[in-house]
């Protein structure tokens, strides 16, 4: 900016960040709370004897409520912080469609704002088309369905009780429900077609009775009236008792949050000098927004206090947020009641074990979710199923004296036990989480796929296979990895890759796991084709193992499932069980051929815990929504800030820097804050907002916009030469008969002012009638993947179409799914679509073969 305008006098960044210290001003600051914590330490006295001492250490923290208070006053973010439960059938595109969001009481909204005004749970509404109808609808809960704001309502009408002729509200009950049950008949309402009953306040005061309408028209009323609390939201009475000004009620905003906890090094070497930290992300934001650096907010970081030591203050504040706190809302331009329940906590397996009051992966029962024991003589997939789950009541029992449960737990071997110590429970300090009504330690610590899959099962398989290969085979594998050519991946392994070093990080395993099925199949067909039968049989076993592993990761690393979500969960569960079988098989084969020793991978807790993935998929969303990779990348910025402090009090100094950056962004986003003197709500002036609108380069320069989190999942869809993908012809009948094209971009040219894409088209080869097909895809028999032939690694074989080349205007075609197109080793002119690439397998299962561009269908 200074280069463009030589007369511009821009302040230094240091002066801007410390403006409040240099000038008398009213610019707000994020309020930091300092809490003294007493911790026990071990030190040696003058005689050299170790002594246990107590020391007071200051914990500096930005409370979650302080962050939420500013977020909801930010007009850029505020409208995205709340979301109704989404009941769109058999789909999962966000956390709002998870079972927890749809069923947990604290996630239910007690009111919504519609074009017809505010509606509360318990209100009576009537149709817009028949405002004088005798049939009333009492609102019970709010949600969305396919983008429409809906409500469940109980059918009601105003009546007189036969026994005393008092006016009552009669609530409809199903005919098969007896008079003692409080189960009412609900109907879904599209709220755009309803408005508040004019006498709603009067109707609220009448007694409510359930009734059953018989087939002969007679009505039977219940003998006992129902309190409003039994058939409406448990929060309605409390919210309605909180008047703001005049006769109006404060609006309510439900703003769920996610927490992330991890440790990071404060050194440039990324070793030693460990700092534990907690950060927060608004749970209702779309996945793309949650993955942005500016929407991750640091709460606390400390070198001498562990994450569990810092947890108590966070839980106390979230507990207050569960009860509700008054905050200013930039959307409604008024004070509202904000409720912020905790959705889940992301972390690695070790941190999750601490938070779940569990002894960890080396315990007799190493799973934090169930009582799985790996000590089985003949391991099989059944030992991972039908196990007794750990419950919140078990952890509550842990807080009793002597750590003995008041209830018995049935173990997999049929025995029972009430010794929580023997069942691998442990007091870690995280029992404080029991105070939260919205959080269950046994259910809300979801399986984290980076550490459980990529740095778990994937790493174990890769290392075990490399150890099995001899020097020549390892060199051939390394050459294949180095020379793997594809535009589908965001990064390549590179010529510096040394397989024998076995020094890989998570993003390396992501690339290798997608490429290995293709590479191993090529090696078995070419370089390894002349090996001895026994050795070749083992290498084919490795291929089967990596093939099923590739199919699993292709399914797991997806952010949105638009259709058939139940089938998606079942398919992942099937692949996990199949992977367990193949892992056990390859371990047995390697032990028989090379006498490599006992089983390793099949007994690990990381393989077992994948069997619980189906539970988290139902409770929350696809697994990528709670992957820790973005949180791990956030550690880089914490480390950089630590290195720019004088190391005297890095916990406070780092938090101060993050707080200043937060408030800097809050101000230029147009966020509101309370003036310290007048207590009026103010925001940045028009000059600042206009400047930000006219200078889009300000963000990358001053706000780190050029340093976003890295996407290691290759999810970007950009038109570029040499990229293969499935495309959608936008000129076809998209709703009823869409046309999909599998093609490689040969070139992008500009002709007569318009851009055109030249495509090399490919088409799969159909199975001939009565040809035997592989099992496992019978749920989608007419899909592209199920209807066409595949190679031994289960990759779809495709051939150049006739005609090969077609051209499309750029605006007439949409890239649907990027694919990894590789030459087929067994067919000279043909290629294969890598089914292990993230998202490719599910896409091919979801697309019908009749909608694909094929010469026999034209």
């Amino acid at each position: 900016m200074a280069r463009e305008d030589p007369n511009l006098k821009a302040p230094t960044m240091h002066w801007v960040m410390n403006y409040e210290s240099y000038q008398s001003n009213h610019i707000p600051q994020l309020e930091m709370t300092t809490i003294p914590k007493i911790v026990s330490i071990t030190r040696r006295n003058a005689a050299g004897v170790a002594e246990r001492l107590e020391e007071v250490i200051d914990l500096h923290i930005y409370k979650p409520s302080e962050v939420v208070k500013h977020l909801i006053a930010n007009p850029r973010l505020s409208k995205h912080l709340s979301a109704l439960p989404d009941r769109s059938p058999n789909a999962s595109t966000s956390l709002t469609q998870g079972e927890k969001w749809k069923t947990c009481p604290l996630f239910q909204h007690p009111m919504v704002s519609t074009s017809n005004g505010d509606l509360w749970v318990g209100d009576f509404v009537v149709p817009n088309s028949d405002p004088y109808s005798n049939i009333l609808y009492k609102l019970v809960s709010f949600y969305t369905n396919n983008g429409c704001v809906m409500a469940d309502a109980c059918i009601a009408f105003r009546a007189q009780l036969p026994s005393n002729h008092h006016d009552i509200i009669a609530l409809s009950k199903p005919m098969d429900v007896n008079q003692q049950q409080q189960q009412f008949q609900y109907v879904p309402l599209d709220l755009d077609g309803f408005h508040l009953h004019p006498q709603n306040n009067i109707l609220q005061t009448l007694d409510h009775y359930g009734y059953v309408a018989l087939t002969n028209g007679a009505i039977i009323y219940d003998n006992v009236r129902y309190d409003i609390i039994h058939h409406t939201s448990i929060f309605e009475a409390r919210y309605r008792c909180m008047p703001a000004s005049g006769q109006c009620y404060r609006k309510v905003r439900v703003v769920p949050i996610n927490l992330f906890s991890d440790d990071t090094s404060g050194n440039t070497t990324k070793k030693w000098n460990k700092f534990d930290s907690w950060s927060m992300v608004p749970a209702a934001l779309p996945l793309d927004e949650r993955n942005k650096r500016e929407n991750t907010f640091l709460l606390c970081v400390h070198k001498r206090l562990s994450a569990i030591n810092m947890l108590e203050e966070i839980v106390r504040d979230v507990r207050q947020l569960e009860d509700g706190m008054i905050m200013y809302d930039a959307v409604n331009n008024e004070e509202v009641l904000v409720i912020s329940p905790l959705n889940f906590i992301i972390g690695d397996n070790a941190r999750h074990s601490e938070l779940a009051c569990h002894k960890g992966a080396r315990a007799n029962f190493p799973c934090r979710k169930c009582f799985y024991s790996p000590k089985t003589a003949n391991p099989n997939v059944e030992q991972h199923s039908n196990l007794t789950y750990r419950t919140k009541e078990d952890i509550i029992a842990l807080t009793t004296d002597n750590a003995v449960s008041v209830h018995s737990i049935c173990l997999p071997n049929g025995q029972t036990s009430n010794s929580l110590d023997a069942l691998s429970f442990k007091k870690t300090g995280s029992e404080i989480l029991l105070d939260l009504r919205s959080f269950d330690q046994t259910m809300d610590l979801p399986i984290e796929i980076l550490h459980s899959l990529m740095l778990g099962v994937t790493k174990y398989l890769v290392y075990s296979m490399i150890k099995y290969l001899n020097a020549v085979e390892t060199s051939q594998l390394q050459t294949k990895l180095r020379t793997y050519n594809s535009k589908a991946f965001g990064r390549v392994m590179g010529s510096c890759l040394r397989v024998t070093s076995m020094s890989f990080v998570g993003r390396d395993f992501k690339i290798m796991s997608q490429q290995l099925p293709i590479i191993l199949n090529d090696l078995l067909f070419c370089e390894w084709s002349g090996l001895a039968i026994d050795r070749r049989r083992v290498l084919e076993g490795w291929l089967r193992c990596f093939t099923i592993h590739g199919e699993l990761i292709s399914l797991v690393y997806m952010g949105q499932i638009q259709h058939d979500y139940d089938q998606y969960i079942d398919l992942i569960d099937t692949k996990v069980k199949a992977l367990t079988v193949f892992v056990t098989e390859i371990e047995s084969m390697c032990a028989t051929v090379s006498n490599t020793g006992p089983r390793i991978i099949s007994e690990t807790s990381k393989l077992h815990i994948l069997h619980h993935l189906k539970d988290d998929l139902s409770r929350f969303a696809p697994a990528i929504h709670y992957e820790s990779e973005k949180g791990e990348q956030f550690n880089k910025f914490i480390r950089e800030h630590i290195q720019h402090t004088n190391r005297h009090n890095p916990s406070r100094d780092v938090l101060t820097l993050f707080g200043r950056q937060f408030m800097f962004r809050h101000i230029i986003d147009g966020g509101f804050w309370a003036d310290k003197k007048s207590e009026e709500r103010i925001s940045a002036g028009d000059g600042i907002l206009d400047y930000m609108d006219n200078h889009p380069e300000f963000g990358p320069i001053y706000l780190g916009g050029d340093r976003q989190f890295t996407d290691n999942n290759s999810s970007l869809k950009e038109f570029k030469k040499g990229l293969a993908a499935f495309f959608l012809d936008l000129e076809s009948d998209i709703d009823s008969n869409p046309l999909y094209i599998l093609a490689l971009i040969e070139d992008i040219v500009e002709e007569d002012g318009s851009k055109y894409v030249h495509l090399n088209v490919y088409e799969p080869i159909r199975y001939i009638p009565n040809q035997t097909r592989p099992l496992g895809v019978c749920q989608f028999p007419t899909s592209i993947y199920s209807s066409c032939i595949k190679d031994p690694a289960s990759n779809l074989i495709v051939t150049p179409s006739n005609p090969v080349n077609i051209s499309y205007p750029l605006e007439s075609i949409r890239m649907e799914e990027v694919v990894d197109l590789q030459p087929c080793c067994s067919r000279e002119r043909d290629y294969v679509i890598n089914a292990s690439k993230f998202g490719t397998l599910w896409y091919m299962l979801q697309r019908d073969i009749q909608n694909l561009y094929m010469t026999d269908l034209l």
Side-chain angles (χ1 to χ4, degrees):
M1 289 181 289
R3 288 194 297 267
E4 296 176 359
D5 185 3
N7 298 322
L8 178 65
K9 296 181 179 180
T12 64
M13 192 63 185
H14 178 78
W15 193 89
V16 172
M17 299 301 294
N18 294 277
Y19 181 74
E20 73 281 357
S21 302
Y22 298 147
Q23 298 288 329
S24 175
N25 64 86
H26 305 300
I27 292 180
Q29 300 181 50
L30 202 60
E31 182 179 349
M32 183 188 300
T33 303
T34 302
I35 302 165
K37 304 287 291 186
I38 300 177
V39 297
S40 297
I41 60 173
T42 301
R43 287 182 179 173
R44 295 188 179 276
N45 57 22
V49 179
E51 294 180 338
R52 296 289 292 176
L53 303 174
E54 289 187 346
E55 182 177 357
V56 178
I57 300 176
D58 285 339
L59 168 63
H60 306 282
I61 183 174
Y62 290 135
K63 292 183 177 181
S65 59
E66 178 70 10
V67 177
V68 171
K69 179 180 72 174
H70 287 85
L71 294 180
I72 205 165
N74 186 329
R76 180 180 66 87
L77 282 175
S78 183
K79 58 185 177 182
H80 303 295
L81 298 178
S82 298
L84 290 168
D86 188 349
R87 298 186 191 175
S88 300
N90 212 4
S92 182
T93 59
S94 67
L95 293 173
T96 60
Q97 293 173 291
E99 287 301 316
K100 179 173 182 178
W101 207 293
K102 291 189 287 188
T103 58
C104 180
L106 282 170
F107 284 73
Q108 311 313 306
H109 292 227
M111 57 84 63
V112 294
S113 297
T114 69
S115 57
N116 296 322
D118 294 342
L119 297 176
W120 289 74
V121 166
D123 280 345
F124 290 93
V125 297
V126 291
N128 294 338
S129 58
D130 189 9
Y132 301 104
S133 172
N134 293 327
I135 302 298
L136 308 175
Y137 298 92
K138 188 174 181 66
L139 301 179
V140 176
S141 62
F142 303 109
Y143 58 95
T144 61
N145 192 333
N146 293 323
C148 298
V149 179
M150 307 285 291
D152 275 346
C154 185
I155 301 175
F157 65 91
R158 190 169 181 174
Q160 287 188 338
L161 200 63
S163 59
N164 53 22
H165 301 289
H166 287 174
D167 286 344
I168 64 167
I169 295 296
L171 303 173
S172 175
K173 297 172 64 176
M175 291 185 61
D176 57 349
V177 175
N178 62 46
Q179 293 187 350
Q180 301 303 319
Q181 291 180 302
Q182 299 173 358
Q183 180 178 344
F184 295 92
Q185 184 174 356
Y186 299 146
V187 295
L189 304 180
D190 186 340
L191 292 182
D192 285 341
F194 292 82
H195 66 271
L196 193 66
H197 193 281
Q199 295 182 330
N200 176 64
N201 292 336
I202 297 175
L203 298 176
Q204 297 282 359
T205 62
L206 301 179
D207 291 338
H208 293 60
Y209 284 82
Y211 76 91
V212 174
L214 303 181
T215 55
N216 60 5
I219 294 179
I220 300 178
Y221 293 95
D222 290 346
N223 297 325
V224 180
R225 72 177 180 89
Y226 289 98
D227 186 5
I228 192 173
I229 202 69
H230 289 302
H231 56 269
T232 61
S233 168
I234 62 173
F235 305 107
E236 177 197 2
R238 187 192 334 160
Y239 292 147
R240 283 186 167 276
C241 291
M242 297 188 67
S245 58
Q247 301 299 317
C248 299
Y249 302 106
R250 284 194 178 96
K251 294 183 177 181
V252 179
R253 295 283 306 275
V254 178
V255 184
I257 60 174
N258 300 332
L259 294 178
F260 172 77
S261 179
D262 195 21
D263 56 70
T264 186
S265 169
N267 298 338
T268 55
T269 60
K270 302 181 183 179
K271 294 181 179 180
W272 320 115
N273 196 23
K274 186 182 78 169
F275 283 76
D276 273 338
S277 65
W278 284 92
S279 55
M280 185 194 89
V281 178
L285 291 178
L287 178 61
D288 291 344
E289 291 296 318
R290 293 205 309 275
N291 286 343
K292 290 183 177 179
R293 175 191 170 191
E294 62 263 25
N295 293 329
T296 300
F297 309 103
L298 183 66
L299 298 180
C300 53
V301 58
H302 214 286
K303 179 179 179 180
R304 301 184 62 189
L305 294 176
S306 69
I308 302 300
N309 294 143
M310 297 183 278
L311 178 62
E312 182 179 359
E313 306 308 323
I314 296 175
V315 170
R316 287 179 179 174
D317 190 66
V318 174
R319 182 67 182 82
Q320 295 180 6
L321 283 170
E322 287 183 339
D323 289 336
M325 301 178 70
I326 304 300
M327 300 178 184
Y328 180 81
D329 180 15
V331 172
N332 295 296
N333 197 27
E334 62 180 337
E335 289 187 339
V336 298
L337 182 68
V338 176
I339 300 168
S340 291
L342 176 58
N343 192 28
F344 54 65
I345 299 177
I346 305 175
D348 57 24
N349 289 309
R351 182 57 46 84
H352 275 172
S353 291
E354 283 186 295
L355 296 173
C357 297
H358 182 250
K359 287 186 175 180
R362 296 191 177 185
N364 290 333
F365 297 96
C367 180
R368 66 177 183 270
K369 288 180 172 285
C370 73
F371 295 103
Y372 158 76
S373 176
K375 299 177 180 180
T376 305
N378 298 308
N380 56 70
V381 70
E382 299 302 326
Q383 78 179 66
H384 300 278
S385 306
N386 303 321
L387 297 170
T388 303
Y389 278 68
R390 299 176 186 267
T391 65
K392 192 173 184 177
E393 287 69 29
D394 297 334
I395 301 179
I396 292 175
L398 179 64
T399 61
T400 62
D401 294 337
N402 300 321
V404 175
S405 173
V406 296
H407 61 286
S408 296
I409 297 173
C410 182
L411 300 178
N413 58 11
Q415 298 179 354
T416 59
S417 174
N418 63 352
S419 173
L420 294 177
D421 180 69
L423 295 173
S424 302
F425 284 100
K426 177 184 178 181
K427 285 187 177 181
T428 61
S430 58
E431 306 89 68
I432 188 69
L433 286 168
L434 295 171
D435 292 346
L436 299 180
R437 301 192 305 277
S438 61
F439 190 78
D440 187 333
Q441 290 154 276
T442 63
M443 301 175 69
D444 297 332
L445 300 171
I447 308 302
E448 202 285 301
I449 54 177
L450 175 64
H451 292 88
S452 298
L453 190 54
M454 288 300 165
L455 296 176
V457 177
T458 305
K459 181 175 76 172
Y460 302 153
L461 286 174
V462 171
Y463 286 179
S464 297
M465 184 187 68
I466 292 174
K467 290 179 181 178
Y468 176 79
L469 299 178
N470 59 38
V472 175
E473 293 163 349
T474 302
S475 177
Q476 292 167 338
L477 174 64
Q478 178 172 281
T479 301
K480 288 283 188 180
L481 285 168
R482 286 181 174 182
T483 58
Y484 196 96
N485 183 24
S486 177
K487 298 282 188 180
F489 303 108
R491 59 186 297 271
V492 295
M493 300 303 294
S495 59
C496 61
L497 172 71
R498 293 183 59 84
V499 171
T500 53
S501 69
M502 292 194 294
S503 179
F504 307 119
V505 294
R507 62 177 179 266
D508 296 328
F509 288 114
K510 284 188 174 183
I511 299 296
M512 292 175 65
S513 58
Q514 297 175 78
Q515 297 176 353
L516 277 174
I518 293 280
I519 292 174
L520 292 177
N521 187 53
D522 288 353
L523 288 171
L524 281 167
F525 187 81
C526 299
E527 289 88 339
W528 296 348
S529 59
L531 296 177
I533 295 177
D534 287 346
R535 187 162 188 82
R536 183 176 172 83
R537 183 171 59 86
V538 177
L539 292 173
E540 288 174 348
W542 281 113
L543 173 60
R544 289 193 298 271
C545 200
F546 277 102
T547 296
I548 198 70
H549 172 270
E551 293 174 354
L552 174 61
I553 63 172
S554 178
L555 293 168
V556 165
Y557 277 90
M558 296 188 64
Q560 295 185 344
I561 306 298
Q562 303 286 354
H563 309 284
D564 300 322
Y565 190 57
D566 293 339
Q567 291 87 336
Y568 170 82
I569 296 176
D570 292 341
L571 190 57
I572 284 185
D573 190 41
T574 300
K575 297 300 180 183
V576 170
K577 292 178 179 178
L579 178 62
T580 304
V581 171
F582 284 122
V583 165
T584 305
E585 176 188 287
I586 194 62
E587 285 183 337
S588 299
M589 294 171 66
C590 290
T592 302
V593 174
S594 58
N595 193 25
T596 55
R599 297 181 301 272
I600 299 176
I601 305 176
S602 60
E603 293 186 352
T604 60
S605 60
K606 290 187 177 181
L607 177 60
H608 162 76
I609 207 167
L610 293 178
H611 289 263
H612 293 291
L613 187 57
K614 62 181 184 297
D615 301 325
D616 293 332
L617 294 174
S618 299
R619 186 166 177 80
F620 300 111
I624 201 172
H625 285 259
Y626 32 91
E627 183 191 25
S628 68
E629 185 173 30
K630 296 302 183 289
E632 298 277 359
Q633 293 182 23
F634 187 67
N635 289 339
K636 172 179 64 177
F637 301 104
I638 298 176
R639 187 182 309 112
E640 288 179 354
H641 281 66
I642 292 173
Q643 294 165 6
H644 284 84
T645 67
N646 58 14
R647 306 297 179 104
H648 292 173
N649 195 343
S651 302
R652 181 199 61 196
D653 296 343
V654 168
L655 214 59
T656 300
L657 289 172
F658 273 97
R660 288 172 178 172
Q661 292 172 359
F662 175 88
M663 291 308 303
F664 188 31
R665 182 178 293 277
H666 179 77
I667 292 172
I668 64 176
D669 279 346
F672 292 87
W673 69 89
D675 183 78
K676 295 179 180 179
K677 294 184 177 180
S678 65
E679 297 185 356
E680 294 181 356
R681 293 285 168 182
I682 57 177
S683 63
D686 294 337
I688 292 179
L689 301 181
D690 291 342
Y691 181 85
M692 294 304 301
D693 292 338
N694 297 325
H695 294 81
E697 72 279 4
F698 187 89
I701 295 175
Y702 285 96
L703 302 176
D706 58 340
R707 301 189 63 198
Q708 287 294 343
F709 295 146
T710 304
D711 176 24
N712 291 318
N713 298 331
S714 304
S715 58
L716 298 179
K717 300 175 182 177
E718 299 178 354
F719 281 84
K720 56 184 177 182
K721 186 177 180 180
L723 184 69
F726 282 99
F727 299 91
L728 174 62
D729 185 350
L730 298 178
E731 296 180 353
S732 64
D733 188 352
I734 298 178
D735 296 328
S736 59
N737 190 27
L739 177 61
Y740 298 97
I741 305 167
L742 171 61
L744 182 141
I745 300 177
E746 182 183 15
D747 201 0
I748 302 175
V749 298
E750 186 170 346
E751 299 176 4
D752 299 328
S754 300
K755 286 188 176 182
Y756 288 82
V757 183
H758 296 321
L759 303 176
N760 290 343
V761 182
Y762 298 85
E763 57 184 64
I765 304 172
R766 289 172 176 268
Y767 283 111
I768 61 176
N770 302 322
Q771 185 175 1
T772 302
R773 307 185 184 192
L775 301 177
V777 292
C778 57
Q779 295 172 309
F780 311 94
T782 63
S783 68
I784 297 173
Y785 188 74
S786 305
S787 304
C788 303
I789 66 172
K790 291 168 275 294
D791 70 359
S794 298
N795 300 307
L796 197 69
I797 299 177
V798 298
T799 188
S801 181
N802 187 16
V804 177
N805 306 107
I806 59 175
S807 180
Y808 269 91
L810 191 60
E811 65 274 6
S812 300
I813 194 170
R814 184 174 72 203
M815 187 180 295
E816 289 279 294
E817 180 69 24
V818 177
V819 299
D820 176 24
L821 192 67
Q822 295 294 319
C824 181
C825 59
S826 59
R827 303 167 71 104
E828 185 176 350
R829 292 184 64 254
D830 296 338
Y831 293 79
V832 294
I833 297 177
N834 186 357
S836 298
K837 184 191 175 298
F838 296 160
T840 297
L841 177 59
W842 183 252
Y843 183 87
M844 292 191 294
L845 288 172
Q846 286 287 286
R847 297 297 174 264
D848 197 291
I849 188 66
Q850 300 297 325
N851 296 120
L852 184 65
Y853 180 96
M854 298 183 69
T855 53
D856 61 341
L857 297 178
L858 297 179

